[in-house]
Amino acid sequence: MDYMIDVGTQIFQKLTPVKRQKVFQSAISEFAEQGYRKASVNNIVRTAEISKGSLFQYFSSKRKLFTCTVNASAVLVKDYLKNVRNETTGENFFDRLEKIILSGFRFIDKHPLMARIYFQLLQSGEAPFGSEQVMELRRNAERFLGELILEAMSKGELRRDLSTDKVSFIIYSLLESLLRAYYSDFIGESSGIYKASPEGLTIWVRTVIDFLRDGISNRG
Amino acid sequence: MDYMIDVGTQIFQKLTPVKRQKVFQSAISEFAEQGYRKASVNNIVRTAEISKGSLFQYFSSKRKLFTCTVNASAVLVKDYLKNVRNETTGENFFDRLEKIILSGFRFIDKHPLMARIYFQLLQSGEAPFGSEQVMELRRNAERFLGELILEAMSKGELRRDLSTDKVSFIIYSLLESLLRAYYSDFIGESSGIYKASPEGLTIWVRTVIDFLRDGISNRG
DNA sequence: GGGTCAGGTGACCATGTGGTCATTCTATCT
DNA sequence: AGATAGAATGACCACATGGTCACCTGACCC
């Protein structure tokens, strides 16, 4: 569980991995299910089976505990992105994009709680830190897309008259919508994306990408 | 202020319009600025300059008060949509879409608090009611778009091989992204949409729509 | 065995919450 | 002026919150 490196105080780091994991997982569940505000420290210590005093020795405050949680999920996301980027270098832009989106779905499958925390943070105003950190997460994703786009442009796969920022914004919007629809019942239900089968998902992704291509790909 | 019709108990309805307005506005401000969970009844009562007992005579609970707030904003949104639809009947689909989006920006300018409540509800998991009501709001918007799309298809303005649902999803995603970017600092700042000038906004909208057109318009 | 001390503990604290209700006020009618 | 009804009031309630701290425990060393 290398995404837990440097999480919490030294005392927390000295714990046995299994206990550390139990505490951290309890926090993740609570935050994911309740959101930051409603999440209760009392609940966390109860399910982690530690005393409240201990928790505050591991993480100096509720806020710190939450930011650790968020950082861990950000590390996971970055990892996924890096992997899919490396696995697809050299491929066509649209193929890469397809794989990125599908990898997003896989991330949600594997780390539903982390995904929930990440999304909640990204869009809700209930961020407990200043919005700078949230913007940092966003900028990260946009930078990632931006680089892909520039690369694709230089290879002549995309029209050159488009502004990178605007294309990046558009793609990011669609990407985020797809992922949100997949993990959230009340968004994805009407579209049929929520918990769709792999085949259904692939169709959706292809549709959106075909649509993107006809819009921004280099014709001629 | 006809969006306040049927809001609250009979006692509330008997109040003078100015007092009613003051109470309701206080609630709207608090909910918009703090979100449902953190919003404090005590704050609302303080800024409305009434006693707590009175508020609970006007609205039987915090939750009811909030749903009234939401309903009011939904009424406003519907009104805006109906207007722009009527004003643009007969026009080209993409022109209509442009006007719809611009009208969305105007809505945010005129009713920033309402917009905030509406968006918060639409995307955050902190909805205090069952997700059905949230889904209802979404379905509403999608139905609206869906009808426009069908109409445009029947007039031959759009490719006919596209599924209405998927096109509707895509457009809705972009529309929502644009509006969210306009009203939210930490989303819109990097793109430059946040509080952009009317000209800047128009450029953005045109870009997105041009992009949409090349993607889904009928090239014949 | 006695001393040491890092780490665990949970009773406790101040504060804030949504909600209630006995009382008071006020406007209208006789 | 007195009576009456209905609305306004705020002290009060039970509860939950994040956070603290004086105490206890148990492993280690001499």
Side-chain angles (χ1 to χ4, degrees):
Chain A
M1 299 303 159
D2 41 348
Y3 59 84
M4 271 183 61
I5 287 173
D6 266 354
V7 153
T9 64
Q10 294 88 337
I11 297 178
F12 184 63
Q13 289 301 326
K14 281 194 224 144
L15 260 41
T16 65
V18 48
K19 184 167 182 182
R20 227 163 53 214
Q21 187 63 21
K22 187 172 182 183
V23 173
F24 204 54
Q25 268 303 322
S26 304
I28 288 172
S29 306
E30 181 74 4
F31 283 128
E33 280 158 26
Q34 311 289 348
Y36 175 74
R37 202 96 67 196
K38 201 188 170 193
S40 156
V41 177
N42 295 322
N43 273 351
I44 295 175
V45 300
R46 200 175 305 127
T47 69
E49 292 177 292
I50 59 171
S51 70
K52 213 202 273 207
S54 289
L55 185 69
F56 280 93
Q57 234 166 0
Y58 302 156
F59 303 89
S60 48
S61 70
K62 184 189 182 185
R63 177 174 300 212
K64 274 250 174 68
L65 174 53
F66 183 68
T67 63
C68 285
T69 289
V70 170
N71 287 341
S73 88
V75 167
L76 272 184
V77 169
K78 270 193 185 176
D79 223 54
Y80 258 71
L81 289 181
K82 216 179 65 185
N83 274 352
V84 71
R85 144 174 280 166
N86 291 343
E87 286 164 8
T88 59
T89 20
E91 289 184 28
N92 172 282
F93 175 74
F94 296 100
D95 294 336
R96 295 185 92 173
L97 199 53
E98 180 177 333
K99 282 173 185 160
I100 288 168
I101 298 176
L102 290 176
S103 150
F105 291 138
R106 255 179 296 139
F107 179 86
I108 293 173
D109 287 335
K110 279 224 174 176
H111 311 280
L113 298 177
M114 289 295 206
R116 208 174 178 85
I117 288 174
Y118 193 80
F119 274 114
Q120 265 179 22
L121 187 67
L122 220 55
Q123 56 214 12
S124 98
E126 82 152 340
F129 6 60
S131 45
E132 292 108 40
Q133 269 120 322
V134 182
M135 280 173 61
E136 181 57 30
L137 289 184
R138 261 195 108 81
R139 254 186 258 118
N140 219 46
E142 274 170 18
R143 199 182 316 128
F144 178 84
L145 280 182
E147 286 170 21
L148 284 196
I149 292 170
L150 275 180
E151 204 180 312
M153 277 186 177
S154 77
K155 286 205 281 175
E157 292 171 355
L158 301 181
R159 281 160 48 188
R160 283 166 204 264
D161 62 316
L162 294 171
S163 131
T164 319
D165 288 351
K166 295 198 166 60
V167 175
S168 166
F169 176 87
I170 288 167
I171 295 183
Y172 184 80
S173 298
L174 293 172
L175 169 62
E176 198 185 282
S177 285
L178 280 172
L179 295 182
R180 277 171 61 204
Y182 181 58
Y183 103 107
S184 152
D185 49 350
F186 64 88
I187 295 177
E189 200 149 85
S190 55
S191 61
I193 299 182
Y194 179 58
K195 285 188 180 162
S197 67
E199 307 87 52
L201 285 180
T202 306
I203 292 178
W204 259 102
V205 174
R206 293 249 165 92
T207 305
V208 171
I209 292 199
D210 281 351
F211 159 81
L212 270 171
R213 178 186 286 120
D214 285 344
I216 64 174
S217 76
N218 196 352
R219 347 175 181 296
Chain B
M1 297 303 160
D2 41 347
Y3 59 84
M4 271 183 62
I5 287 173
D6 266 354
V7 153
T9 64
Q10 294 88 338
I11 299 179
F12 184 64
Q13 289 300 325
K14 281 195 225 144
L15 261 39
T16 64
V18 47
K19 184 167 181 183
R20 226 164 52 214
Q21 187 62 21
K22 187 172 180 183
V23 172
F24 203 53
Q25 267 304 322
S26 304
I28 288 171
S29 306
E30 180 74 4
F31 283 129
E33 280 157 26
Q34 311 289 348
Y36 174 75
R37 202 95 68 197
K38 201 190 170 193
S40 156
V41 176
N42 295 323
N43 274 350
I44 296 174
V45 162
R46 202 174 304 127
T47 70
E49 292 177 293
I50 58 170
S51 70
K52 214 203 276 206
S54 289
L55 185 70
F56 280 94
Q57 232 167 0
Y58 303 155
F59 304 89
S60 49
S61 70
K62 184 188 181 185
R63 177 173 301 211
K64 273 251 175 69
L65 175 54
F66 183 67
T67 64
C68 285
T69 289
V70 170
N71 286 343
S73 88
V75 167
L76 272 184
V77 169
K78 270 193 185 175
D79 222 54
Y80 259 71
L81 289 181
K82 217 178 64 186
N83 275 350
V84 71
R85 144 174 281 166
N86 291 343
E87 287 165 7
T88 59
T89 20
E91 289 184 30
N92 172 282
F93 175 74
F94 296 100
D95 294 336
R96 295 184 92 172
L97 199 54
E98 180 177 332
K99 283 173 184 160
I100 288 169
I101 298 175
L102 291 176
S103 150
F105 291 138
R106 255 180 296 139
F107 180 86
I108 293 172
D109 287 334
K110 279 224 174 177
H111 310 280
L113 299 177
M114 289 294 208
R116 208 175 178 85
I117 288 174
Y118 192 79
F119 274 115
Q120 265 178 22
L121 186 68
L122 220 54
Q123 56 214 12
S124 96
E126 82 152 340
F129 5 60
S131 43
E132 292 110 38
Q133 268 119 321
V134 183
M135 280 173 62
E136 180 57 29
L137 289 184
R138 262 195 108 80
R139 255 186 258 118
N140 219 46
E142 273 170 18
R143 200 181 316 128
F144 178 84
L145 280 182
E147 287 170 19
L148 285 196
I149 292 170
L150 275 179
E151 204 181 313
M153 276 186 177
S154 77
K155 287 204 279 174
E157 293 171 354
L158 300 181
R159 281 161 47 189
R160 283 167 204 266
D161 61 315
L162 295 170
S163 130
T164 319
D165 288 350
K166 294 199 166 60
V167 175
S168 166
F169 177 86
I170 288 168
I171 295 184
Y172 184 81
S173 298
L174 293 172
L175 168 63
E176 198 184 283
S177 285
L178 281 173
L179 295 182
R180 277 171 62 204
Y182 181 58
Y183 102 108
S184 151
D185 50 350
F186 64 88
I187 295 177
E189 201 148 84
S190 56
S191 61
I193 300 182
Y194 179 58
K195 285 188 181 163
S197 67
E199 306 86 53
L201 284 181
T202 306
I203 291 179
W204 259 103
V205 174
R206 293 249 166 91
T207 306
V208 171
I209 291 199
D210 281 352
F211 159 81
L212 269 171
R213 178 187 286 120
D214 285 344
I216 64 174
S217 76
N218 195 354
R219 346 172 185 296

